[in-house]
Structure formats: C-alpha cells, structure tokens
C-alpha cells in the first residue's frame, strides 16, 4: 500500500485526506525538502508553481503519464536498487545509452548556436527523456536514432487523462479517434505538428527518432526567450512540458543527478523505469508489444548471503556487479564533469576592445578555464554578456553568447557589432553552472571617423557679389573605404593660418534665412558623400577659404572667389578683408553659428 501511494496518483484521485497523508509520509523518506500541499501533491520548497507560471494551458505531452522513478540518493555514484530485474543497475541508472546521449548533446549544440541566450543544458533533455521514456526504453534505437518500436502513451480519452481527440488522423500514433503521446520525448501530435524538427538531417521530422525529438524538445523549452540558467525560467519551461508539480520535481531531481556526472553505456543496455504517474508498472503501451512488460535481464548466479552491512546483505552496502553482465560497468566513482574541475577563469590574450560606431570589432573577447593548478579545462560552457549603456551586441543581435572551451581551455566569444551609441561598456565572462568569479573586458565605441576628405568635382568655385556658388560636393573615406555617417563641420575661416570664423565674405543661411559662416552637425551619407548647403556671396570681392573637418581629423580647404564683372575683367583679389576697389560690405550678419 505504501508503494502504491508513493507513486503520483491520477489527477483527481489525490483529493482525499488519506492520500495526502500517505504521500506526505513517503515524501519525507524520499528526498530532503519535499513537502505536500493541501491537495496531497508533492512540492519542493521554493519550487511550487504559482498561478500563471506556466506558459499556457497546454503542454508538449498533453500532460500524459510519466515515469516517477527517482535517482539514487547517493548520486553521482548510484547504488543498486532492488526489484528492477536488471543486472548492474548502478551502471544503467547513471549511464545514458550512447546514441541517446549523442542526440541530447547535438541538440544542445544546435540551440547554443540558434538561441544562445536560452542556455539549454543537455542534462535537462536527459532528465526529461528519462522521465518520459526511460531514455528511449534504455536506448533501444537503431543506428539513425529511431526507436526499434513506437513508444506510445495511453490514448487521451478523458478516462483518467486529458481528453484530446485525434488531430493527426492517426499519422503519428496510429489512433484516429484520440491522440496519444509519441516517441522518446512523448510529444502529442498537435504539438509535434509545429514543434517537430529534423535533428539528423534526413529530411524528415519523426517523433520516434531521438535526434528529431531531442532537437524539438530543445526548441520547445527555449521558446518565449526563456533563459534556462535562470531558476524561474527553468521551472516555467519544465511545467510547460507537463503541467504537474510532481513532474517538475522529478525532472529537477534527474537534472541535478546528471549534472553531477554520468557516463555512456551501449545502446539497448539501459534499465527500464518501473513506476508511472498513473500507477502503471509496465512500459508505455506500444506496437507490437503494447501490453507486454520488458523481458527480464539474466539473473546472476546466487551467492551466499553476506552478513548485514556487507555488499549484498541487509545493510546499506551496494551489491556486487555481476561479472557476466552485458552492460559496461561504471568506474568505481563517477568522475567530476569538466565544469566541476574549473577553479577560475583567465582572460585569454584579449586586447582592448575598440571599434567605431557601426563597425565590427576586430578583437574578440576570449576566456580560458583553468583548474587550481593552472591546467586547461576543455568542454566547459562560458557565457559572455554585454553589459553597460550600449547598443553594441554580438553578431546576430544577441547581448548574450555561450561558447564551449576548446582543447586549450579557451572559449572565444562571437564578434561584437558596434551600434551607434558611443562610449565605454564591458563584456563579462562566467562559467555556466559554477559560482566562481568571472572576468571582465573593457570595451569602447568611438564616433565614426574619416582620414581623407576630397572634393567630388574640380571646377573652380566663383561667383559675383551678391550671387550664389555652385554646390560643393565632398567624399570622406577611412582606410580607403567610404566613411559613412561621419560628422563634419564647415567653416569660412579668416586665413590659412587663422582658423577663426571670418565675419565677411561668403556665407551659409540658417533655417531663418540669416547669414552664418560655420555649420556643425553635417554628416556624410552611407557612401561617405556630403553635399554642403548652398553658399552665398555678399558684396565683398576677393578670395576666401572654406575649411571642412570631420571626426577622425580629415580636413579639406577650398578656395572661394568673389569677383565683380567690369568689361570682363576681375577687379578684386582680396583675401577676405577685401582689397582694391571693393564695395563696402553691408552690416555683418549676427546670425548664430550652427
């Protein structure tokens, strides 16, 4: 009776006080921190979902039944569990079948590229795969990752389960009346229709293929811009897969277990779970062996019962591994993950990060993961984050990127793309899954600049007093390339040696039509071209100087000539103050410089 209450009861069956008391009693013996709410549902302190926490009313699985087996308490070096009918259960519990494990890791890599801000760990896919199908029934898949026989949940006919009438005409589940969850990640057909992915590049989206199903699960968990390194988003994602507090706690238990360490085992050698949330004790129904429980593994030759407390006895000691087991025994202790061995991060030859607005940074942030002895640690996830008041992002528009360290322990962030906002900011690198100090890199975006400025035409710029000059066109370049959106200033200067604003001679007009002799706020177009506003001449004749400068130091000085026509001869050659028989200038304009 205790074992029966230990499993999650069917929806609606946990409303009695007796059920609540039984679950509470068993919960206390299963895991620390587990309590029971007023409806007899198991919850862990701080992890119970609150109203509105799930993404929507549906789920990937249609809230189908799932396996409730919990990981061994002494993870990551699991002890054998009795009554499974398998040989070397510790190897099967801690291990993940090779093809299944590869599918999880490939899905993680794909999501790292497509949605780096999600921070999806493959261990989460493994935890869900364990709870949904026992890792594709212990890795019973072919070389392409397709299950040897379909894995189907019970039909969702409303009899103890949700009521979901057929949505796929039986294409995936073979049931044209009601839907059933399908495959190793247990997608219902209506969800697979939009969430399905082709994870093994065979041109098909097959829910019975572990590569397709794992990639689909990854995308499903990463929707809504969730960041799975954030505990709250992680809970939302899991609850959206199957909206049950017990399901959440079970998945989190396996996630923590796999994070502490696991190992690869041969396909088909994994242990099958025993307990389901609908009180079933057999594997999920499937064709052609829908009602047949898995065949038991060979039982090792009985050995004399050792005294209590010794391996195989009544005490807590682990049972010996059967030397004839077809599975590969695990090491004496599960080795720590690479992430567990990281002691600190070091900047990996990163110079100052500087770029002009709109440009791609030439230098990338790089970090090296090291042990306390200074040795490189490969296969560690490093998260780079752009911080500060800036619109600079990584290539692709993300402000967060997660990269795995290479064999030298180095992770190189994607290239930074400078925005239009200038100024200083920072890029910070941390180890995903570890609470150790990160490293920060100073970065700066400077304004757009030009190093060369030339006229686009070579005709002399002349006019008569009171007339207008032809348009002045310029082109700015930087390093030989067009310098677009570069700020420029145009000023009528007193002389070549005196950059002060000349109060006589040619002038621009402001918005009110008043004369101004210095204009700021000019800017080249995307091709580095700039056409100056129209220039006008007053009544003073002579040669005047127009100087244009840009950010970056490019400068161009242009001569402007104002000459009166008298019998076809010019009568003035002044330099700005005016000489010869020049007519007196009208009162100088008092318009403000722009």
């Amino acid at each position: 009776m205790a074992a029966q209450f230990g499993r999650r009861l069917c929806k609606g069956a946990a409303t009695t006080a007796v059920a609540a008391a039984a679950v509470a009693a068993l919960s206390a013996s299963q895991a620390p921190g587990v309590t029971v709410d007023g409806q007899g549902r198991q919850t862990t302190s701080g992890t119970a979902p609150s109203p509105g926490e799930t993404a929507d009313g549906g789920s990937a699985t249609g809230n189908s039944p799932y396996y409730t087996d919990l990981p061994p308490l002494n993870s990551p070096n699991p002890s054998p569990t009795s009554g499974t009918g398998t040989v070397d259960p510790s190897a099967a519990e801690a291990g993940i079948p090779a093809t299944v494990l590869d599918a999880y890791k490939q899905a993680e890599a794909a999501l790292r590229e497509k949605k780096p801000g999600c921070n999806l760990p493959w261990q989460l896919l493994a935890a869900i795969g364990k709870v949904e199908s026992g890792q594709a029934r212990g890795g019973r898949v072919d070389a392409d990752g397709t299950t040897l026989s379909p894995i189907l949940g019970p039909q969702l006919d409303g009899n103890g389960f949700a009521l979901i009438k057929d949505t796929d005409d039986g294409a995936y589940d073979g049931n044209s009346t009601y839907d059933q969850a399908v495959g190793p990640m247990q997608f219902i057909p209506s969800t697979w229709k939009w969430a399905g992915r082709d994870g093994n590049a065979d041109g098909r989206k097959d829910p019975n293929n572990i590569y397709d199903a794992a990639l689909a699960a990854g995308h499903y968990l990463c929707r809504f811009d969730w960041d799975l390194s954030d505990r709250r988003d992680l809970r939302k994602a899991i609850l959206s897969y199957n909206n049950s507090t017990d399901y959440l706690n079970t998945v989190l238990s396996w996630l923590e277990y796999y994070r502490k360490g696991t190992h690869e085992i041969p396909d088909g050698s994994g242990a099958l779970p025993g307990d389901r949330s609908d009180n079933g004790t057999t594997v999920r129904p499937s064709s052609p062996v829908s009602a047949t429980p898995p065949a038991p593994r060979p039982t090792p030759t009985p050995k004399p019962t050792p005294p209590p407390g010794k391996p195989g006895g009544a005490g807590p000691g682990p049972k010996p591994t059967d030397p004839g087991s077809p599975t590969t025994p695990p090491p004496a202790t599960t080795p720590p993950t690479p992430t567990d061995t990281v002691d600190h991060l070091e900047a990996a030859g990163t110079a100052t990060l500087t770029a002009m607005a709109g440009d791609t940074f030439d230098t990338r942030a790089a970090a090296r993961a090291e042990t306390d002895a200074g040795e490189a640690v490969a296969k560690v996830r490093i998260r780079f984050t752009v911080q500060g008041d800036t619109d600079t992002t990584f290539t692709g528009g993300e402000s967060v990127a997660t990269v795995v360290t290479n064999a030298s322990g180095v992770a190189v962030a994607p290239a930074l793309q400078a925005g239009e906002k200038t100024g200083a900011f920072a890029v910070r690198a941390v180890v995903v899954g570890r609470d150790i100090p990160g490293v920060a890199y100073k970065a700066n975006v400077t304004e757009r600049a030009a190093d060369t400025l030339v006229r686009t035409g070579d005709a002399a710029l002349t006019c008569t007093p009171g007339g207008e000059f032809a348009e002045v066109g310029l082109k700015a370049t930087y390093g030989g390339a067009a310098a677009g959106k570069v700020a420029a200033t145009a000023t009528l200067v007193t002389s070549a040696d005196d950059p002060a604003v000349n109060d006589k001679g040619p002038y621009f007009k402001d918005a009110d039509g008043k004369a101004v002799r210095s204009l700021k706020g000019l800017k080249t177009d995307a091709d580095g071209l700039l056409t100056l506003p129209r220039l006008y001449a007053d009544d003073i004749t002579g040669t005047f100087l127009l100087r244009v400068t840009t950010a970056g130091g490019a400068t161009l000085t242009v001569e402007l000539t104002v000459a009166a026509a008298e019998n076809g001869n010019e009568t003035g050659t002044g330099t700005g103050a005016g000489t010869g028989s020049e007519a007196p200038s009208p009162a100088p304009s008092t318009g403000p410089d722009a």
Side-chain angles (χ1 to χ4, degrees), residues 103-500:
Y104 296 150
K105 291 186 175 181
Q106 285 201 29
E108 179 198 57
L111 269 297
R112 185 186 312 124
E113 178 181 350
K114 297 294 184 181
K115 297 184 178 181
C118 178
N119 296 307
L120 171 77
W122 66 260
Q123 291 92 339
L124 176 58
L125 297 176
I128 291 176
K130 178 70 173 181
V131 171
E132 292 295 342
S133 68
Q135 310 298 17
R137 287 212 191 105
R140 288 159 176 80
V141 297
D142 62 21
D144 294 325
T146 302
T147 57
L148 299 181
S149 60
I151 301 176
L152 300 174
Q155 66 178 13
L156 300 174
D157 56 6
N159 184 20
F161 311 111
L163 174 60
I164 303 179
K165 293 185 178 181
D166 176 63
T167 61
D168 65 332
D169 199 25
Y172 294 118
D173 55 14
N175 189 334
S176 59
T177 304
Y178 299 100
D179 271 352
Q180 295 175 246
V182 181
M185 303 303 279
Q186 288 289 279
F187 279 96
I188 55 175
S190 58
T191 303
W192 183 261
K193 186 178 298 184
W194 61 265
R197 295 291 192 280
D198 178 12
N200 60 352
D202 64 354
R204 300 173 61 232
K205 299 177 182 178
D206 182 4
N208 291 298
N209 182 279
I210 186 59
Y211 288 98
D212 294 359
L215 183 60
H219 277 278
Y220 185 91
L221 294 165
C222 285
R223 69 202 195 286
F224 302 127
D225 293 324
W226 281 330
D227 178 0
L228 301 184
S229 65
D230 179 89
R231 187 74 172 180
R232 183 174 175 82
D233 280 358
L234 174 65
R235 293 166 57 202
K236 289 179 182 177
I238 296 172
L239 286 168
S240 77
Y241 210 90
N242 192 315
N243 192 8
S244 160
T245 305
D246 295 340
Y247 181 86
L248 169 69
N249 292 336
T250 305
V251 169
L252 289 175
S253 295
W254 283 106
L255 171 60
E256 181 64 19
Y257 179 75
Y258 287 136
R259 275 177 167 166
K260 290 180 179 178
T262 185
H263 57 274
E264 181 182 291
I265 59 175
D267 289 343
S269 64
L272 294 176
D275 294 334
R276 292 198 314 177
S277 61
D278 61 345
N279 295 333
T281 57
T282 61
V283 295
R284 294 180 185 273
S286 66
S287 176
V289 289
S290 59
T292 305
R297 298 284 187 88
T299 303
T301 303
K303 296 183 179 182
T305 302
K310 300 297 182 180
K319 296 179 181 179
T321 300
D322 172 32
S325 170
T327 61
T328 303
T333 59
T334 304
T337 65
T339 300
D340 294 332
T341 67
V342 178
D343 177 74
H344 60 273
L345 280 181
E346 294 285 348
T350 303
T352 303
L353 303 173
T354 303
M356 284 194 301
D359 286 355
T360 300
F361 282 69
D362 292 331
T363 305
R364 301 186 183 190
R368 173 182 161 94
E370 297 182 356
T371 65
D372 56 357
E375 297 176 348
V377 184
K379 299 181 180 180
V380 173
R381 301 179 71 205
I382 306 298
R383 182 189 300 123
F384 295 90
T385 304
V386 178
Q387 299 178 327
D389 184 17
T390 181
D391 55 357
T392 295
T393 63
F394 292 112
T395 303
E398 298 283 348
S399 59
V400 177
T402 303
V403 183
V404 176
T405 58
N406 59 22
S408 300
V410 176
V412 181
L416 286 165
Q417 179 65 43
E420 294 301 321
K421 185 174 291 185
T422 60
F425 64 98
V427 176
R428 184 170 179 79
V430 297
V431 179
V432 176
R434 289 294 306 279
D435 186 17
I436 59 176
V439 293
Y441 311 89
K442 294 181 178 180
N444 188 52
V445 175
T446 61
E447 63 180 331
R448 294 174 182 264
D451 56 16
T452 304
L453 189 63
V454 297
R455 283 186 62 195
T456 55
D458 55 7
L461 297 170
T462 63
C463 79
T464 58
E468 300 179 6
F469 288 91
E471 288 185 338
V472 180
L474 309 171
K475 182 169 184 177
T477 58
Y478 187 86
K485 301 180 181 180
V486 175
T489 299
T491 303
L492 281 304
V493 297
T494 300
S495 68
D497 299 325
D498 186 354

Side-chain angles (χ1 to χ4, degrees), residues 31-58:
V34 176
T35 59
V36 176
D37 65 14
Q39 287 71 44
R41 296 173 300 190
Q42 291 185 20
T43 140
T44 300
S45 177
T47 62
S50 59
E53 192 169 34
T54 55
D56 49 46

Side-chain angles (χ1 to χ4, degrees), residues 31-98:
V34 176
T35 59
V36 176
D37 65 14
Q39 287 71 44
R41 296 173 300 190
Q42 291 185 20
T43 140
T44 300
S45 177
T47 62
S50 59
E53 192 169 34
T54 55
D56 49 46
S59 70
T61 67
N63 296 326
S64 294
Y66 55 90
Y67 289 111
T68 60
D69 298 44
L70 294 174
L73 294 178
N74 58 339
S75 171
N77 182 25
S79 301
T81 55
S82 61
T84 61
T86 62
V87 174
D88 193 14
S90 62
E93 289 289 350
I96 299 177

